[in-house]
């Protein structure tokens, strides 16, 4: 059973600060990693994906991947109150359906 | 909005009943995956359909079954409902297996 672990939080940051969300995974062969944002009562929304070691930036979001350490993170710069949500880390399986394995999510609150 | 639509949005059933949930995939997507998300948890993979065939299944009992139609829309059927089946049921579509998933808005099922 693949495991994806996230610090459950809650994580609170002031508006304008950098929010750092972390995730570790157990399957060393995993190749594809995703971050989803989920507002309360809504469905997950894909915000970042990363396949290669290093950093990938998209606007205020940066995903970081370190396969040797089996670690993936999401940085949110200039955090806004609208970023307050639960962030789900997901790792794609290697065989069959290539389904996603999700962590339990980190709840982020950005304080105005 | 992802273009993935699910119906109904909410449903209340009693233990032992049967339920059918429906999903229309995003245009151009031929793969549909179903996930169950219990309160406070990350989504868990139920199964995936690719070209009208089940392409993989998570750790769910046979009373969870599905279909995919020629237009790539899909149904999730759950027989003999149990209280623990109360959850948000998410449908996600993708261009193919192993590709990024885009989720619909979900069906909130309550079993009393």
């Amino acid at each position: 059973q693949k495991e994806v672990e996230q610090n459950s939080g809650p994580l609170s940051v002031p508006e304008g600060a950098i929010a750092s969300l972390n995730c570790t995974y157990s399957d060393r062969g995993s190749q594809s990693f995703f971050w989803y944002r989920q507002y309360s009562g809504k469905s997950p929304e894909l915000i970042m994906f990363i396949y290669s070691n290093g950093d990938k930036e998209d606007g205020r979001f940066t995903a970081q991947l370190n396969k040797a350490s089996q670690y993936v993170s999401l940085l949110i710069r200039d955090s806004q109150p609208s970023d307050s949500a639960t962030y789900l880390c997901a790792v794609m399986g290697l065989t069959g359906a290539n389904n996603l394995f999700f962590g339990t999510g980190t709840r982020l609150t950005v304080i105005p | 909005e992802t273009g993935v639509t699910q119906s109904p949005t909410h449903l209340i059933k009693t233990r032992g009943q049967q339920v059918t949930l429906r999903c229309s995939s995003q245009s151009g997507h031929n793969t549909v995956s179903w996930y169950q998300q219990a309160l406070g948890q990350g989504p868990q993979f139920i199964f995936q359909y690719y070209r009208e065939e089940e392409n993989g299944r998570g750790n769910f009992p046979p009373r969870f079954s599905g279909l995919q139609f020629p237009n790539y829309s899909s149904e999730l059927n759950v027989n003999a409902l149990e209280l623990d089946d109360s959850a948000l049921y998410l449908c996600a579509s993708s261009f193919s297996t192993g590709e990024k998933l885009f989720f619909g808005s979900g069906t909130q099922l309550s079993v009393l």
Side-chain angles (χ1 to χ4, degrees):
Chain A
Q1 179 74 14
K2 296 176 176 56
E3 290 188 0
V4 179
E5 301 284 342
Q6 295 182 249
N7 43 336
S8 59
L11 174 65
S12 294
V13 300
E15 184 174 354
I18 296 175
S20 178
L21 306 164
N22 304 315
C23 174
T24 59
Y25 57 95
S26 63
D27 191 336
R28 181 169 293 277
S30 298
Q31 298 293 325
S32 305
F33 308 87
F34 305 83
W35 283 98
Y36 285 82
R37 176 176 64 197
Q38 188 172 28
Y39 292 113
S40 182
K42 302 295 185 182
S43 63
E45 173 193 6
L46 179 65
I47 55 171
M48 289 289 288
F49 58 92
I50 186 166
Y51 303 142
S52 303
N53 273 332
D55 295 359
K56 179 182 179 182
E57 186 174 318
D58 183 1
R60 295 186 297 111
F61 299 99
T62 299
Q64 299 174 317
L65 175 61
N66 183 326
K67 291 183 180 179
S69 300
Q70 297 175 239
Y71 175 90
V72 58
S73 65
L74 179 70
L75 300 178
I76 306 174
R77 290 183 300 281
D78 188 24
S79 295
Q80 301 297 309
S82 60
D83 295 326
S84 298
T86 295
Y87 289 80
L88 295 163
C89 173
V91 178
M92 185 166 282
L94 299 175
T95 60
N98 304 112
N99 54 287
L100 292 183
F101 294 88
F102 284 85
T104 56
T106 298
R107 186 177 181 87
L108 171 67
T109 299
V110 180
I111 303 167
Chain B
E1 297 295 324
T2 62
V4 181
T5 58
Q6 292 186 243
S7 63
T9 55
H10 296 84
L11 205 50
I12 299 175
K13 292 286 188 178
T14 57
R15 194 170 50 183
Q17 286 188 311
Q18 177 265 342
V19 68
T20 297
L21 310 182
R22 295 178 174 82
C23 172
S24 294
S25 61
Q26 184 170 318
S27 177
H29 288 186
N30 62 16
T31 302
V32 172
S33 303
W34 287 91
Y35 286 78
Q36 180 197 66
Q37 186 176 23
L39 193 64
Q41 301 297 314
Q44 289 199 1
F45 177 66
I46 302 175
F47 43 57
Q48 181 184 85
Y49 278 84
Y50 171 65
R51 294 184 176 179
E52 303 178 56
E53 298 284 336
E54 186 179 291
N55 186 51
R57 188 179 185 92
N59 189 26
F60 281 82
R63 60 189 184 85
F64 286 78
S65 62
L67 284 173
Q68 186 179 32
F69 300 99
N71 66 354
Y72 304 127
S73 66
S74 178
E75 288 183 353
L76 164 65
N77 299 288
V78 187
N79 294 321
L81 284 167
E82 300 178 359
L83 298 179
D84 285 349
D85 295 334
S86 296
L88 178 67
Y89 287 84
L90 295 162
C91 169
S93 73
S94 55
F95 280 112
S96 186
T97 64
E99 296 290 332
K100 299 184 291 291
L101 297 185
F102 296 91
F103 284 90
S105 56
T107 295
Q108 185 65 55
L109 173 65
S110 298
V111 182
L112 306 179

